[in-house]
Amino acid sequence: MTQGNAEPAAAGASGLLRIERVDRVLTVGLNRPAKRNALNDGIILEIGECFASLPEDIGAVVIHGIGDHFSSGLDLSELTEHDATGGLLHSQMWHRVFDRIQYSRVPVIAALRGAVIGGGLELACSAHIRVAEPTTYFALPEGQRGIFVGGGGSVRLPRLIGVARMMDMMLTGRVYSATEGASYGFAQYVTEAGNALGKAMELATKVASNAPLTNFAVLQALPMIAEANPQTGLLMESLMATVAQSDKEAKRRIREFLEHKTAKVKPKS
Ligand SMILES: COc1cc(/C=C/C(=O)SCCNC(=O)CCNC(=O)[C@H](O)C(C)(C)COP(=O)(O)OP(=O)(O)OC[C@H]2O[C@@H](n3cnc4c(N)ncnc43)[C@H](O)[C@@H]2OP(=O)(O)O)ccc1O
């Protein structure tokens, strides 16, 4: 992490994660650069602990990789130790951890560079916004390793890029560039060289300034509404809108706008 005023945060004491905070943004750095941030049990469990104990006053999280790569995926040296039952439990452990990210109380932004491979891509997909830089590339080489995705990729990835594209990725091992990835939905932003983390921090600061209840509704309700049948979805939307607008935070923010005390919504000039 390169932010000047970053402070070390409590979790991540083993060194597998580098956790820091900048104001209301927590940064979580995968910290195994010598192994290209391969995801072993230790790092997955620490990610889980980190998201289970987010400080109350945090408004957003940025997850990134220390070194030149976001993550080379599952630590292949550990998988060979599993029998079938162990494999099932291992995959379910990843699911629980990545669910904590997806269903986090606050928005999570993934800052991507270099390899975003296999389980690393599954991790990135559990974040809410992905920011790539030109070195970033995405791949699912599971077919070459004789395994299958195990970190929720078969559920999350088709929802981002479609089943046909994921089939192509898994069957051919095709590597997608940052710009291809952005056009297919892996990433929402592609920055100039070396600036994915900076852009992610800028976005995180912005989303952390939203009303917490709106962010909560977007993270928790929106994905469910999008998958519900239209009648159920519309009812859920009305209920969520009612809860949000009756919160004192909404009343305060709307009053500030009407009194010309807050920024207008205009394109950047
Ligand atoms: C089945 O149940 C599952 C599955 C899963 C998820 C599955 C997956 O993630 S499959 C994808 C696995 N990843 C890969 O196949 C990528 C392998 N790595 C590479 O191709 C390259 O290392 C690189 C990422 C392109 C970087 O290349 P380079 O910069 O040249 O660095 P290297 O010299 O190759 O690597 C340095 C050092 O790191 C070790 N390493 C790299 N990646 C891994 C890895 N994924 N696992 C273990 N070790 C890795 C490499 O061996 C080198 O080590 P040295 O000791 O030789 O220095 C999820 C959940 C389930 O239940």
Side-chain angles (χ1 to χ4, degrees):
M1 245 289 295
T2 51
Q3 306 296 312
N5 55 344
E7 290 174 20
S14 76
L16 290 169
L17 296 181
R18 190 189 294 170
I19 301 179
E20 294 170 329
R21 81 176 273 175
V22 181
D23 301 324
R24 296 184 61 235
V25 178
L26 197 74
T27 65
V28 180
L30 309 175
N31 192 21
R32 297 186 79 205
K35 295 291 178 186
R36 308 306 184 251
N37 296 323
L39 301 169
N40 60 6
D41 284 358
I43 205 165
I44 292 289
L45 288 169
E46 276 206 19
I47 295 171
E49 280 165 28
C50 172
F51 279 88
S53 57
L54 288 180
E56 288 259 321
D57 57 342
I58 282 295
V61 177
V62 170
I63 185 157
H64 65 108
I66 308 289
D68 294 337
H69 301 278
F70 177 71
S71 171
S72 62
L74 170 73
D75 188 322
L76 294 165
S77 69
E78 287 194 349
L79 197 69
T80 49
E81 294 160 16
H82 296 148
D83 60 11
T85 307
L88 190 64
L89 294 173
H90 178 264
S91 171
Q92 290 182 331
M93 189 254 286
W94 280 50
H95 291 168
R96 280 194 295 278
V97 169
F98 290 4
D99 275 359
R100 278 192 190 155
I101 299 175
Q102 179 174 351
Y103 300 110
S104 160
R105 179 179 56 79
V106 297
V108 181
I109 300 176
L112 307 175
R113 65 152 71 115
V116 185
I117 296 179
L121 180 50
E122 296 181 276
L123 168 60
C125 287
S126 63
H128 306 109
I129 299 175
R130 283 158 294 281
V131 181
E133 57 186 62
T135 60
T136 311
Y137 64 96
F138 307 92
L140 293 174
E142 278 81 347
Q144 288 299 308
R145 309 284 176 250
I147 56 179
F148 191 61
V149 285
S154 57
V155 171
R156 291 192 181 95
L157 211 48
R159 285 170 164 77
L160 289 177
I161 64 169
V163 177
R165 190 156 281 121
M166 181 164 177
M167 272 197 185
D168 178 47
M169 277 185 94
M170 290 207 72
L171 294 174
T172 67
R174 180 175 161 185
V175 174
Y176 284 79
S177 68
T179 44
E180 281 178 309
S183 65
Y184 297 138
F186 289 125
Q188 284 67 52
Y189 298 85
V190 181
T191 68
E192 65 274 26
N195 197 35
L197 183 54
K199 179 70 181 176
M201 290 300 292
E202 178 194 320
L203 294 170
T205 304
K206 175 91 175 87
V207 300
S209 73
N210 290 340
L213 194 55
T214 307
N215 279 350
F216 184 85
V218 172
L219 301 184
Q220 308 279 328
L222 182 59
M224 280 190 211
I225 292 172
E227 303 233 331
N229 74 53
Q231 278 184 318
T232 309
L234 289 175
L235 179 60
M236 286 172 74
E237 180 188 273
S238 299
L239 292 171
M240 206 60 246
T242 307
V243 171
Q245 78 192 28
S246 49
D247 193 66
K248 63 177 185 314
E249 180 75 11
K251 295 187 197 316
R252 180 181 69 76
R253 286 171 180 249
I254 291 170
R255 191 176 57 245
E256 278 180 5
F257 173 76
L258 296 174
E259 291 170 357
H260 306 283
K261 290 179 181 160
T262 193
K264 297 184 184 188
V265 182
K266 294 206 169 169
K268 273 188 187 161
S269 49

